[in-house]
Amino acid sequence: MPQVRKADASWSGDLATGGGAVSAGTSAVFSALPITWKARTEGSDGLTSPEELLAAAHASCYAMASSNNLAKAGFPPERVQVRVEVTADRRDAGWTLLASHITLRAKVPGIDEETFRTAVEGAKDGCPISGALHGNVEITLDAALED
């Protein structure tokens, strides 16, 4: 059965000097997080941005996908820690997303390097957020096992 998730955003004023807010419409786990163009394209100043929210979505999606692949390979992870860095910049066509870099550190008892690498690389391509970005944004992975 298809699942629908909602988010809501509002904006007042022009792009450069206006501002707005974004809220989780389905879960309501966050509401009225302030957003501005300056926070998006310069320093965050304690505000969020679409790119940060995309990084959060990609990190959580990849954490689930990599854990699933590792478990399916017979090695359920004790822990996976994921950080995603989304890079955006001004280009000829305007502001655009360039890359999403995934860093994974995992504690997976008993796994060998080849099995680990196969599982986490497959998750990079198999997570639905990666799928949505594929062909539009460079996706890279730095994955390592921890003791």
Side-chain angles (χ1 to χ4, degrees):
M1 172 182 294
Q3 295 295 307
V4 176
R5 300 294 183 257
K6 298 177 271 186
D8 303 297
S10 62
W11 190 269
S12 298
D14 66 13
L15 181 61
T17 62
V22 62
S23 300
T26 303
S27 66
V29 296
F30 63 87
S31 64
L33 296 179
I35 53 175
T36 65
W37 181 249
K38 181 179 178 186
R40 186 176 190 184
T41 60
E42 297 176 29
S44 68
D45 296 328
L47 307 181
T48 194
S49 68
E51 291 76 16
E52 182 177 44
L53 295 170
L54 178 62
H58 202 185
S60 58
C61 182
Y62 182 77
M64 288 185 238
S66 60
S67 293
N68 184 48
N69 281 7
L70 290 162
K72 282 182 175 181
F75 299 93
E78 186 175 306
R79 180 186 68 252
V80 298
Q81 186 66 40
V82 178
R83 170 169 281 191
V84 170
E85 297 173 32
V86 169
T87 302
D89 200 358
R90 188 174 314 275
R91 293 292 189 245
D92 295 335
W95 193 252
T96 190
L97 295 176
L98 302 173
S100 187
H101 178 69
I102 304 166
T103 301
L104 167 71
R105 297 298 176 259
K107 186 168 185 177
V108 188
I111 198 167
D112 62 273
E113 185 66 31
E114 182 180 343
T115 303
F116 172 73
R117 188 73 38 207
T118 299
V120 299
E121 286 288 341
K124 178 181 74 100
D125 299 329
C127 125
I129 300 297
S130 290
L133 297 173
H134 183 76
N136 298 304
V137 173
E138 178 186 18
I139 301 172
T140 56
L141 174 63
D142 170 15
L145 286 166
E146 295 181 332
D147 293 329

